[in-house]
């Protein structure tokens, strides 16, 4: 009885992630269909984001193999997930010695590894610990699955993406179209908050969020929202501030017990499903992501991207913005440049 109840929920969950999932049965009959055979690795799979993210990936018919890596508890997480009645084969890997085996043959690697924010901490306070973790994991990816799509969740994304890129360059396997900073949570939050204020269905609201993934570098383009919405300036300023500081809202509400994990897992899964859909040949898949960019004077910048079989197919750019949004972009650029440089310098100075 329970599984009969559970299945429609699974379908609904995936429907909200990606338009392509709408036509998909929960468990496709054509298991041999190559299109539904993504091999995905989650690095940091035992953590607050890693566990729910792995659960969502296990629940998707797009994933045929799910490999989980962490420095503790992964065999238990993998055993737990492996009992779920979906076809993705799950295996857990523990510690640096097992990391190469976890990565071999992967199409997509998602990296939520690192320490979470605590009250009073900025994303930048996480820098030293998370920079080392990301650099180490990126080096393993460059060696053992250089062709894979790399999706970085670990904060501060404004620095961890330049770190990943520099590590891939050091190994001679850098492809800027395959390294993505997952900023999807900013879009998810913007959609939710706009929908709440306007009494709309959040699943039908789409707000592009550009720039970076911390504080004032998060720039929601409310002027480009679909459907079109209007706010008086004081409400628009408050709404923008709430989107920019939504992570801190969760950190405070959890009162020292962690940061945004469940919503981040949802957003990470949404991005991965979009990416895999595009890799499978679905056309018109667009997501915002923090990537190598020539759209501004920053060498990395988040904008809407058209995704394709080989990752980033086309950068769709910033588009037409309001004067309020233009001012936010100008104010974000110095901070973004500093964060990017910090990441690049970290790799240069690595022993």
């Amino acid at each position: 009885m329970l599984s009969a109840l559970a299945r429609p929920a699974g379908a609904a969950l995936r429907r909200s992630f990606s338009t392509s999932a709408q036509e998909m049965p929960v468990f496709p009959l054509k298991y041999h269909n190559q299109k539904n055979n993504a091999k995905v690795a989650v690095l940091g799979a035992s953590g607050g984001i890693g566990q729910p993210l792995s659960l969502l990936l296990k629940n998707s018919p797009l994933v045929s193999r799910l490999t989980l890596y962490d420095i503790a508890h992964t065999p238990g997480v993998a055993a737990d997930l492996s009992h779920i009645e979906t076809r993705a084969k799950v295996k857990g890997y523990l510690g640096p010695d097992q990391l190469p085996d976890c990565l071999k043959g992967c199409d997509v690697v998602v990296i939520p590894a690192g320490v979470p924010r605590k009250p009073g901490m900025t994303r930048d306070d996480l820098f030293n610990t998370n920079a080392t973790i990301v650099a180490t994991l990126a080096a393993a990816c460059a060696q053992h699955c250089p062709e894979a799509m790399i999706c970085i969740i670990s904060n501060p994304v404004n620095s961890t993406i330049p770190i990943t890129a520099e590590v891939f360059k050091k190994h001679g396997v850098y492809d800027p179209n395959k390294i993505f900073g997952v900023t999807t949570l900013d879009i998810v939050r913007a959609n939710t908050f706009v929908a709440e204020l306007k009494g709309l269905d959040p699943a039908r609201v789409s707000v592009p969020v550009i720039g970076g993934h911390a504080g004032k570098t998060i720039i929601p383009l409310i002027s480009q929202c679909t459907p079109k919405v209007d706010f008086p300036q004081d409400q628009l300023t408050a709404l923008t501030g709430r989107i920019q500081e939504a992570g801190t809202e969760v950190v405070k509400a959890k009162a020292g017990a962690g940061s945004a994990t469940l919503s981040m897992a949802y957003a990470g899964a949404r991005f991965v499903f979009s990416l895999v859909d595009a890799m499978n040949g679905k056309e018109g898949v667009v997501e915002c992501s923090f990537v190598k960019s020539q759209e501004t004077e920053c060498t990395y910048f988040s904008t809407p991207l058209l995704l394709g079989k080989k990752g980033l197919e086309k950068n769709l750019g910033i588009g037409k913005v309001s004067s309020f949004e233009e001012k936010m972009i100008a104010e974000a650029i110095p901070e973004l440049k500093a964060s990017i440089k910090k990441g690049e310098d970290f790799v240069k100075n690595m022993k």
Side-chain angles (χ1 to χ4, degrees):
M1 187 62 199
L2 197 61
S3 63
L5 288 172
R7 289 181 190 197
L13 189 65
R14 270 196 317 284
R15 252 204 305 282
S16 62
F17 284 144
S18 157
T19 48
S20 59
Q22 286 176 10
E23 308 87 47
M24 260 183 200
V26 181
F27 307 109
L29 298 174
K30 294 184 181 173
Y31 281 178
H32 60 273
N33 182 349
Q34 286 304 306
K35 287 193 170 183
N36 297 330
N37 274 339
K39 297 177 180 70
V40 181
V42 179
L43 311 185
S46 302
I49 297 166
Q51 289 200 43
L53 173 61
S54 300
L55 171 63
L56 294 170
L57 295 170
K58 170 68 173 128
N59 195 44
S60 171
L62 293 168
V63 180
S64 62
R65 190 188 83 185
L66 185 59
T67 55
L68 310 179
Y69 172 80
D70 215 318
I71 54 169
H73 311 305
T74 16
V77 175
D80 197 355
L81 286 175
S82 72
H83 294 177
I84 292 171
E85 48 167 6
T86 58
R87 73 192 186 98
K89 298 272 184 285
V90 185
K91 191 165 179 196
Y93 295 85
L94 194 63
D97 294 348
Q98 295 184 11
L99 182 53
D101 287 337
C102 175
L103 293 171
K104 275 175 192 145
C106 282
D107 303 307
V108 180
V109 180
V110 198
I111 306 184
V115 293
R117 273 205 295 162
K118 294 195 166 59
M121 284 174 89
T122 65
R123 286 182 178 87
D124 226 35
D125 292 335
L126 307 174
F127 182 82
N128 285 332
T129 304
N130 287 0
T132 304
I133 292 169
V134 170
T136 305
L137 296 175
C141 293
Q143 288 167 286
H144 303 292
C145 56
E147 298 293 309
M149 305 289 170
I150 310 295
C151 305
I152 304 286
I153 291 172
S154 311
N155 273 317
V157 166
N158 295 354
S159 299
T160 55
I161 282 296
I163 286 170
T164 305
E166 293 304 309
V167 168
F168 269 68
K169 284 177 193 171
K170 273 192 169 179
H171 286 84
V173 290
Y174 177 56
D175 181 347
N177 297 329
K178 291 185 173 182
I179 295 175
F180 300 94
V182 180
T183 60
T184 316
L185 183 51
D186 300 325
I187 292 93
V188 166
R189 286 166 166 161
N191 296 345
T192 302
F193 300 165
V194 167
E196 280 172 2
L197 289 170
K198 291 295 184 187
L200 299 166
D201 174 358
R204 302 195 178 281
V205 176
S206 179
V207 180
V209 181
I210 65 164
H213 185 57
K216 68 178 182 186
T217 70
I218 298 168
I219 304 160
L221 301 182
I222 310 286
S223 70
Q224 294 181 19
C225 178
T226 317
K228 190 151 181 49
V229 291
D230 282 306
F231 294 99
Q233 188 58 48
D234 60 339
Q235 205 178 5
L236 181 63
T237 304
L239 170 62
T240 301
R242 188 181 176 205
I243 294 164
Q244 291 175 330
E245 293 303 324
T248 304
E249 192 178 302
V250 176
V251 169
K252 283 181 181 166
K254 288 194 176 181
S259 56
T261 53
L262 301 172
S263 52
M264 185 61 247
Y266 168 91
R270 173 182 138 166
F271 185 81
V272 171
F273 297 150
S274 291
L275 187 55
V276 173
D277 272 338
M279 290 162 70
N280 287 342
K282 183 177 167 65
E283 292 183 2
V285 179
V286 175
E287 289 281 0
C288 295
S289 179
F290 188 67
V291 293
K292 187 87 172 101
S293 173
Q294 296 175 324
E295 298 303 313
T296 66
E297 58 199 86
C298 293
T299 46
Y300 297 85
F301 202 82
S302 180
T303 43
L305 312 171
L306 179 65
L307 302 176
K309 289 184 178 180
K310 293 179 178 174
L312 196 173
E313 194 162 283
K314 188 183 182 193
N315 195 319
L316 301 177
I318 293 169
K320 189 170 178 289
V321 295
S322 68
S323 55
F324 175 65
E325 291 159 354
E326 203 168 300
K327 184 166 175 280
M328 283 197 289
I329 295 168
E331 285 172 0
I333 282 175
E335 186 181 317
L336 262 178
K337 280 183 166 174
S339 299
I340 292 163
K341 185 177 187 304
K342 193 172 179 179
E344 289 172 341
D345 288 350
F346 179 83
V347 179
K348 275 189 196 130
N349 300 325
M350 264 170 61
K351 294 286 177 282

